[in-house]
Amino acid sequence: MVISILSLLAGAVNAATPCDKTVCWQVAPTVCLVDQQQRPCQLALSLQWQSALPQSVCVYLDEQQLDCWRAVNHGQWQQQLQLTGPARLELRNQQQQVLLQQQLTVLSRQPERRRRLVAPWSVF
């Protein structure tokens, strides 16, 4: 109970804290869990960005353009994505310069099987 209240308060403080950079964003979630390795992961991705000055920017997922905004100082985007492995989310300006980037990670609940270092049989 106490931990959940503290996490809510921390989220409220982060949301109320003004951005001290030219461009800021919030991306959630950044980790996606799958039951088994090599399975695609369904991720309900949400992002919000803000800028001190109006800008024209686009968001990309591994070089694929997802959405764009023209001459605004904030924006938000939500979509269900299917990831098969790690991916990089980027916010770029019109000159294709990366303003912000975030790594998206896919984790499996079932760890990789380890290879045996020795043969299953032995002479001794």
Side-chain angles (χ1 to χ4, degrees):
M1 176 84 170
V2 173
I3 293 174
S4 61
I5 292 173
L6 289 176
S7 64
L8 287 173
L9 289 175
V13 169
N14 287 341
T17 304
C19 176
D20 61 349
K21 299 178 185 176
T22 307
V23 181
C24 295
W25 73 351
Q26 296 166 336
V27 178
T30 58
V31 176
C32 188
L33 283 175
V34 292
D35 289 332
Q36 296 177 350
Q37 295 233 339
Q38 309 304 327
R39 284 233 161 142
C41 185
Q42 298 295 323
L43 182 69
L45 188 67
S46 171
L47 75 85
Q48 295 179 335
W49 67 272
Q50 63 184 19
S51 172
L53 301 171
Q55 295 195 37
S56 295
V57 296
C58 293
V59 63
Y60 290 82
L61 180 68
D62 286 340
E63 303 303 321
Q64 178 186 359
Q65 182 177 312
L66 300 176
D67 202 358
C68 291
W69 297 269
R70 302 285 177 227
V72 294
N73 61 353
H74 69 281
Q76 61 184 16
W77 181 84
Q78 282 185 299
Q79 189 168 337
Q80 188 78 20
L81 297 177
Q82 183 173 340
L83 300 177
T84 55
R88 189 175 65 236
L89 194 66
E90 294 178 340
L91 189 69
R92 300 181 192 171
N93 62 14
Q94 286 182 317
Q95 294 77 31
Q96 294 298 309
Q97 294 173 323
V98 177
L99 303 175
L100 300 167
Q101 64 181 1
Q102 175 68 53
Q103 187 72 24
L104 302 178
T105 308
V106 176
L107 296 177
S108 171
R109 293 180 186 190
Q110 182 183 45
E112 282 188 50
R113 294 182 187 252
R114 295 185 182 188
R115 259 188 22 177
R116 287 183 155 224
L117 297 177
V118 296
W121 52 269
S122 177
V123 175
F124 301 101

